[in-house]
Amino acid sequence: MNRFARLATRLLAAPQGLVWLEPAGEAAGAVPESWPTGTEPGPAVPACCRRVAEHGRPLFLSHAGEGDAAFAFAGVPLIGGSGELLGVLAVTDRDDRRWSEDDVRDLSDLAAMCSAQMRMRTRSVTVRHAREAAEDAAHAAAGEATRVHELLDRSELLLRASEDLADTSGLEDVRRRVGDLVSGDLKPARIELVLVRQGMLHPVLSPVDGGFTVPAGPVTDAVPLNAHWPVARAVRENRMVVVDAQAEGDRAAASSPATPAFGDLALGTAACLPLRGTHGTLGALVLGWDAPYGIGVDERAVLTTLAGYTAQAVERALHLDERVTVARQLQRAMLTQLPEVPGLELSALYRPAAQDDMVGGDWYDAYPLPVAPGTDAAGALALTVGDITGHDMRAASLMGQVRSMLRQADHDHPGDGPDQALGALEQACRRLRLPASGTALHAHLTPAGAGHWRLRWSNAGHPAPLLATADGAVESLTEHDVLLHHALEPGPRTCAVRSLAPGSTLLLYTDGLVEEPGGDIEDNVGRLARRLATAPPDVALDVLLRSLLDAVAPREARDDAVLFAVRICAP
């Protein structure tokens, strides 16, 4: 259960989460499963959990406890299939905190998923008991050995289904695991998973492994819910629909394939199983056999239970996919549309981490600088590349705040250098108690006449940028200060200056480009510099960045990567 405690800490950006389980008896003590693992909640936290359990409704406290032991508490009850209390999912914060409506909704959604997980575990115990009972029956009735053997196989199938589908991470994972489960026991020739979206049934790609193939024909066609297809009937009527090609009494069913994907296949039997979710039918699981397949009472019970496990996995996968999609869309929305600046060519490339559930704090930015009073430095441009620590929604949220605050610092202090803007950012983070930490390189680029540009930059612990000149030489701009960290006392930062001649290319990047487990960062930076030095001078910047990424970045990226290049054009 500490997995849900961990997810709760991520979603609500709280330092501690726990799953407090209802004790088995009056003398039993409830031992919470906490995240981080091994931490123990304060003595007042279980009391708050008991209040949630006693009243059976969520409890969100901005302030609980006394003195140094004070904390903020948020807890939601975990409810069983019959309405019984299973426990409490809770998070705590060391400081007073006002819980937002999003916090309440996120913790409630996660508690619903945790409750479903606990109900699945309870069902697994029931299945184990059924298997043990079947084993006893096998010894007691030798004459029914064949039937008992089939029951054992089905019980094992359901046991594996309850376990294998309990920790799926996406729709493709659900599809693959269902295919693996049924290929060995039920042995269907075809399988299809269809989901309800905007009043239509859309198929998830059929398995291509485990003995299944993608049928030819309109496999990607959506099916209206009011269509004649048996799969649509199964979803509309929320019941299993069996299509038997040998049925004599049902000519319509015998002549109608289960789904469009099965239309060109000579199947003997197909079963359309509705996937019942918390708020309605999610779609259907369709199994097809080449030969006639008898589906009796026992087989129907097995298929119905399998569809129930699949529905729970699909519902969880849809929820997680939606959360990750929203997070990544928000992160992409904060990536800058690069401005058009006469005399400069700009291009940027952002590659997210390979893991599906990872969003991060990498960013790049470019924007015109305000003209300071009494100066004529029009056309100046600010450039930033940064990396806020972390690979989660919290890091992406902090990144958005830091990015906006740094922009504001430049516009509030026209004429000041990039070092002063970084200093103002640090002061603001400290005053607002914003726990932002990471690295950043902030630069100002100003026209200097005759096609030259004046570069001033301040580096807060970020990888050194590379400067390639028109003659093919590449230099690493190694001047830097300490990284950004909310626990460090802000101090003066340095500002380096360099003149950029026409034909020069400045490359900024984050450590996700050159860092990989077991690799040497300096070797990767050297390889990056050599590739930059040998690039044709007239190659487009976007093509150059893609080639650098392909040549240097790890294949299985564990971190986001940003590349940002500025080229000084000929006058």
Side-chain angles (χ1 to χ4, degrees), residues 1 3-4 79-81 84 86 112-128 157-168 174 177-178 181 276 278 305-317:
M1 290 293 107
R3 178 177 57 175
F4 288 95
I79 306 301
E84 75 277 15
L86 303 176
M113 296 171 60
C114 185
S115 300
Q117 175 78 31
M118 296 174 72
R119 291 196 295 269
M120 289 178 68
R121 287 189 175 184
T122 302
R123 292 180 182 179
S124 297
V125 174
T126 303
V127 171
R128 284 194 180 91
L157 168 64
L158 296 180
L159 180 59
R160 291 197 309 274
S162 66
E163 295 173 346
D164 290 353
L165 297 177
D167 60 349
T168 48
V174 174
R177 296 202 191 191
V178 171
L181 283 166
R276 301 180 179 93
T278 304
T305 304
L306 176 63
Y309 289 138
T310 303
Q312 291 179 354
V314 166
E315 192 166 39
R316 182 172 57 252

Side-chain angles (χ1 to χ4, degrees), residues 207-229:
V208 296
D209 53 353
F212 297 107
T213 59
V214 178
V219 66
T220 58
D221 286 357
V223 176
L225 276 176
N226 60 356
H228 68 281
W229 299 100

Side-chain angles (χ1 to χ4, degrees), residues 176-189:
R176 179 183 60 80
R177 296 202 191 191
V178 171
D180 292 343
L181 283 166
V182 301
S183 62
D185 292 88
L186 301 176
K187 296 181 175 60

Side-chain angles (χ1 to χ4, degrees), residues 77 84 216 300 331 349 416 434 450 474:
E84 75 277 15
R300 282 179 174 269
Q331 188 174 33
L349 180 62
D416 290 348
L434 189 69
V474 174

Side-chain angles (χ1 to χ4, degrees), residues 10-22:
R10 278 191 176 187
L11 285 177
L12 276 72
Q16 186 180 53
L18 65 148
V19 177
W20 183 89
L21 300 180
E22 179 72 358

Side-chain angles (χ1 to χ4, degrees), residues 304-380:
T304 301
T305 304
L306 176 63
Y309 289 138
T310 303
Q312 291 179 354
V314 166
E315 192 166 39
R316 182 172 57 252
L318 290 173
H319 180 78
L320 293 176
D321 286 349
E322 180 183 7
R323 300 293 304 195
V324 172
T325 299
V326 169
R328 286 198 164 174
Q329 287 176 345
L330 289 174
Q331 188 174 33
R332 291 191 190 100
M334 288 186 285
L335 297 178
T336 300
Q337 182 72 31
L338 297 178
E340 294 185 5
V341 181
L344 298 178
E345 181 183 354
L346 291 84
S347 184
L349 180 62
Y350 170 78
R351 186 187 73 171
Q355 285 84 346
D356 289 342
D357 60 342
M358 293 181 74
V359 292
D362 288 24
W363 90 96
Y364 62 86
D365 203 1
Y367 48 89
L369 286 169
V371 178
T375 69
D376 58 353

